[in-house]
Amino acid sequence: MKLQKQLKMIENIKDLIPKNKGDLSTAEKLTNYSYDDVKEIIPNLLEWLQDFNWPVAKPVSEYLESINDKITTDLLSILRSNEDEVWKYWIITIFGPITQSPIIKNEIIRIATSPTKNEMIQEVDEVAKGIVNNRNWK
């Protein structure tokens, strides 16, 4: 019985991706699942952090913060992209204060010390500098 329940849960895991920026009930269900349960939808969940003003961003970020040590590759992909500097801003704001990943740390330091033009325009470098200073990273 337990195996059937797990299989059903995993079969419907995409149902845990919020449908719109106000879909709080779906986002709040994430806390019932482990990283292993949701790992295939992590990129989809991270998309809800593109604008932290969306209501769904807070519960999604709280869940992702709880598993931040397991999503380093996904976070790094966002931080190294040249597509959405506002998303980088929010990723640094949310995960910068808590990350233990040396790779994420180094990318935040890179943004703080050698930002791209677009990172400067969107003030991603400023939020990165704040994290670097607050955490005494060199």
Side-chain angles (χ1 to χ4, degrees), residues 5-138:
K5 186 177 179 183
Q6 273 188 315
L7 290 174
K8 183 178 181 192
M9 178 179 67
I10 292 170
E11 179 182 323
N12 297 322
I13 204 68
K14 291 191 178 182
D15 291 341
L16 291 174
I17 302 168
K19 308 302 178 262
N20 58 62
K21 62 185 173 184
D23 190 1
L24 294 173
S25 62
T26 298
E28 290 165 354
K29 291 177 187 174
L30 290 168
T31 59
N32 299 319
Y33 297 85
S34 71
Y35 166 75
D36 288 329
D37 294 333
V38 301
K39 63 184 172 187
E40 74 179 75
I41 64 167
I42 294 296
N44 305 93
L45 297 175
L46 283 165
E47 288 178 9
W48 287 108
L49 304 184
Q50 290 175 321
D51 186 338
F52 205 72
N53 295 306
W54 295 334
V56 77
K58 184 154 178 55
V60 170
S61 73
E62 289 171 350
Y63 174 74
L64 293 174
E65 286 175 69
S66 75
I67 59 167
N68 81 87
D69 59 319
K70 294 176 173 61
I71 61 172
T72 300
T73 303
D74 298 288
L75 296 175
L76 193 60
S77 173
I78 296 164
L79 294 175
R80 288 186 173 165
S81 76
N82 294 319
E83 297 173 23
D84 190 339
E85 269 52 43
V86 174
W87 195 9
K88 286 184 197 182
Y89 178 97
W90 291 118
I91 294 299
I92 292 171
T93 300
I94 295 164
F95 298 99
I98 62 169
T99 188
Q100 297 301 315
S101 166
I103 298 168
I104 299 296
K105 172 187 170 183
N106 289 339
E107 190 60 20
I108 292 172
I109 291 171
R110 194 264 323 145
I111 293 169
T113 58
S114 300
T116 65
K117 181 179 178 183
N118 287 336
E119 288 168 343
M120 288 188 285
I121 290 169
Q122 294 297 328
E123 300 179 357
V124 181
D125 61 324
E126 295 300 321
V127 73
K129 287 175 190 171
I131 297 298
V132 168
N133 291 335
N134 286 339
R135 297 205 58 188
N136 290 320
W137 287 344
K138 303 289 180 218

